[in-house]
Amino acid sequence: MASLAPCSETEEAKESKVDPGPAETFSRPEDVDGPAEKEPGPQGEESHGKEDVRGEENGSTTEEDKSNRESRTMEPRSLRKMNSWKTVRFQDPSETEASAERDSSSDSLFPDAEMEEWTSTCFEELFMAKDWEDISDDRLLRKRVLKRGPPQAPCPTWGQEVTVKMEGVLEDRSVVEKDCKLVFVIGERDVTQALEECALSMQKEEITLLLADSQYAYGLLGRDPDIPAWTPLLYQVQLLDLQDKPDPLTLAVADRIRIGNQKRERGNFHFQREEFNMAARAYSMALEVLTTRSRDGGTDGEVLEEEVHDYRIKCLNNLATAHLKLEQLDEALHTSQDVLVLEPDNVKALYRAGKLLSDRGEYKEAMEKLKKALKLEPATKAIHVELSKLVRRQSGGREIQEWKSKPAEILGESVAPFLVPSKKKPPGISWKFLLGALVVALGSLVTSVVLTARN
């Protein structure tokens, strides 16, 4: 999908938030605010519209619409800057500050290409223009070459890493995408499908206009806060460089951390949109980069390897969350156990593993995991709730026993759950019952005496 802003947040920010409650505590990535807990299901495929978003306009056009379109066409508009610049940057960290400063300016990245199509022409006319080249068969992804590359310039192929300069605008010419050095691998969905398809059709040094229907950009969800749903985009793109995707084994640890984090943030972006398949794929690609061991040595290398270790734990926890949303329970359990290999005291992994083992009927191991999680976080309600369910399952669903949590302040080192009798008392013999039985007995005795006297 498309370029985006990092979704991660600081630990201080997370700690200052209100407790989301047991239902959400373990149901989202640990470094991003995911959507509220919902019934898990296979909803992760990216949504692409089947119909042309301009279909309603093709039937009939009012005079007012024509006049509005003419006024838009005849009156050039200047580009105006939006507040957010949501881009994924893969360049060297030393360049980030300078690039961000350049990208956040109101100056165009293509000052020599202020043609009418870029400044004023409505998108409907561009979709119907004859001098534009179709990139897709449905005519919803089109381009117009402004400057061709040298005659023998290479073209990228699927799986190669490309570097582009790009700027994207809405129909009112609000700038919503801008990056002077955006690096991505074609096919890994780090950017919009429109940018990937466009890069495949370009030569090195080529500059082109790219018109993308919403289904090749941000689709029915849009991108808050600046790109509404079902919104087409117009890009200017220049292909700066292309090369084979580097082998992670050849990368320095710092580069692995940077690329791995960008993949993880991409997964968070998809998770927020409830595109759980895409999120799982992004987390898996992040782990591929973060799992390999670099050849860097020395103290600095050891410190960075510890950082890689921490990011691997984050990615694995997030991947387990995505598996749960997709109802891939075996994969979620396996991933949670991978976290515990790296960090045995990880509470989220302990909780997830305990819950999944309990659902599978492996009560002993589930109890061990949940008790350990409770010892680490005795005040977490979700753990108490799951332990209560586990105790009921162990007792065969009978209500004669129930889990009762100990107060956190007196928990100490002992976290063994204890069982208390149910509040329901067994039925006993009441005084009314005894009195009734006595009356019946006396009545029988009197009757017997009377019958004997008559005889």
Side-chain angles (χ1 to χ4, degrees):
M1 277 295 292
S3 40
L4 67 155
C7 300
S8 58
E9 58 185 13
T10 63
E11 293 295 329
E12 293 78 10
K14 287 187 288 185
E15 293 174 357
S16 65
K17 292 185 178 180
V18 179
D19 182 14
E24 292 185 43
T25 303
F26 300 99
S27 63
R28 66 190 183 201
E30 56 185 43
D31 54 353
V32 65
D33 286 330
E37 176 89 0
K38 294 186 179 180
E39 186 68 23
Q43 339 175 17
E45 290 297 337
E46 181 159 6
S47 300
H48 290 311
K50 299 289 185 182
E51 300 177 1
D52 190 339
V53 295
R54 299 174 303 283
E56 295 179 359
E57 299 177 3
N58 292 340
S60 61
T61 306
T62 63
E63 292 298 325
E64 183 179 357
D65 292 336
K66 290 181 179 179
S67 62
N68 289 339
R69 188 181 306 120
E70 290 174 0
S71 63
R72 290 200 306 267
T73 304
M74 296 175 61
E75 189 174 317
R77 287 161 293 183
S78 60
L79 302 182
R80 60 187 178 86
K81 173 188 150 189
M82 300 296 286
N83 292 328
S84 62
W85 304 92
K86 301 192 175 182
T87 54
V88 173
R89 288 187 173 83
F90 285 59
Q91 70 263 28
D92 187 276
S94 62
E95 302 177 7
T96 302
E97 184 176 352
S99 297
E101 183 178 353
R102 289 195 300 270
D103 289 357
S104 62
S105 67
S106 58
D107 298 333
S108 172
L109 296 180
F110 300 89
D112 298 329
E114 296 293 330
M115 74 295 298
E116 183 179 359
E117 292 92 339
W118 177 246
T119 57
S120 60
T121 308
C122 69
F123 285 3
E124 185 177 353
E125 292 184 9
L126 298 182
F127 275 111
M128 303 303 295
K130 295 182 179 180
D131 56 343
W132 283 60
E133 174 187 345
D134 291 323
I135 299 178
S136 63
D137 295 336
D138 53 14
R139 296 179 59 86
L140 298 181
L141 190 61
R142 316 190 75 206
K143 78 171 192 175
R144 180 187 173 199
V145 178
L146 304 180
K147 176 187 174 182
R148 298 193 179 276
Q152 303 301 321
C155 297
T157 59
W158 191 266
Q160 282 194 312
E161 182 183 87
V162 297
T163 304
V164 302
K165 178 170 68 172
M166 69 89 181
E167 188 171 7
V169 298
L170 304 178
E171 190 164 14
D172 66 358
R173 271 47 183 188
S174 301
V175 181
V176 291
E177 303 253 57
K178 190 175 184 181
D179 201 315
C180 62
K181 190 177 181 182
L182 176 64
V183 183
F184 59 91
V185 177
I186 299 175
E188 293 192 356
R189 305 308 297 273
D190 292 317
V191 295
T192 57
Q193 184 181 358
L195 288 174
E196 285 192 334
E197 298 284 353
C198 182
L200 280 172
S201 71
M202 298 178 71
Q203 290 180 296
K204 185 177 179 180
E205 299 183 22
E206 177 183 318
I207 300 177
T208 190
L209 280 180
L210 172 67
L211 181 64
D213 187 77
S214 60
Q215 73 178 45
Y216 289 96
Y218 293 94
L220 63 90
L221 297 178
R223 190 193 70 188
D224 288 336
D226 48 4
I227 301 179
W230 298 120
T231 300
L233 296 174
L234 179 63
Y235 292 95
Q236 284 193 75
V237 185
Q238 182 177 15
L239 180 59
L240 301 176
D241 196 11
L242 60 125
Q243 63 179 1
D244 292 336
K245 178 183 175 181
D247 184 351
L249 288 173
T250 66
L251 295 174
V253 180
D255 291 328
R256 290 166 50 208
I257 292 174
R258 175 169 47 84
I259 296 175
N261 276 337
Q262 287 158 350
K263 300 291 186 184
R264 177 174 55 84
E265 289 165 2
R266 190 64 184 167
N268 294 345
F269 173 77
H270 287 300
F271 189 95
Q272 287 181 310
R273 295 164 66 89
E274 300 187 22
E275 298 167 342
F276 301 123
N277 272 334
M278 300 290 291
R281 183 171 181 264
Y283 294 140
S284 297
M285 287 191 293
L287 286 167
E288 288 179 6
V289 178
L290 294 171
T291 300
T292 56
R293 178 169 291 276
S294 175
R295 298 186 179 90
D296 287 6
T299 304
D300 292 341
E302 292 178 1
V303 172
L304 289 174
E305 283 293 349
E306 291 180 3
E307 194 172 348
V308 170
H309 178 271
D310 294 338
Y311 285 127
R312 285 179 63 191
I313 292 172
K314 281 187 177 183
C315 284
L316 285 168
N317 263 329
N318 292 357
L319 179 58
T321 307
H323 284 320
L324 284 175
K325 292 292 186 180
L326 294 167
E327 293 187 325
Q328 298 170 348
L329 304 185
D330 290 341
E331 291 85 349
L333 176 59
H334 178 75
T335 306
S336 298
Q337 290 172 334
D338 286 344
V339 175
L340 296 176
V341 171
L342 297 173
E343 188 177 70
D345 291 339
N346 189 282
V347 177
K348 288 191 175 184
L350 286 168
Y351 170 82
R352 291 193 187 106
K355 185 178 186 304
L356 291 166
L357 288 167
S358 176
D359 293 340
R360 290 165 58 143
E362 301 177 28
Y363 298 137
K364 182 179 179 180
E365 191 175 352
M367 182 64 76
E368 292 175 357
K369 295 284 192 296
L370 292 172
K371 284 166 58 177
K372 188 173 183 179
L374 182 66
K375 181 178 178 179
L376 294 167
E377 289 192 9
T380 302
K381 295 179 182 179
I383 302 174
H384 291 286
V385 170
E386 197 57 40
L387 275 168
S388 179
K389 292 179 182 178
L390 176 56
V391 170
R392 286 198 297 271
R393 287 171 178 170
Q394 284 181 307
S395 63
R398 298 188 302 274
E399 295 186 0
I400 60 173
Q401 293 178 322
E402 62 180 13
W403 162 263
K404 184 176 180 180
S405 60
K406 297 180 181 180
E409 60 270 15
I410 67 171
L411 190 65
E413 293 299 319
S414 175
V415 296
F418 59 93
L419 304 175
V420 297
S422 172
K423 294 181 180 179
K424 294 183 179 180
K425 296 182 179 180
I429 302 176
S430 66
W431 65 271
K432 292 182 179 181
F433 176 81
L434 293 174
L435 181 60
L438 181 60
V439 170
V440 171
L442 288 174
S444 300
L445 180 60
V446 170
T447 304
S448 177
V449 170
V450 171
L451 291 175
T452 302
R454 287 180 180 179
N455 293 334

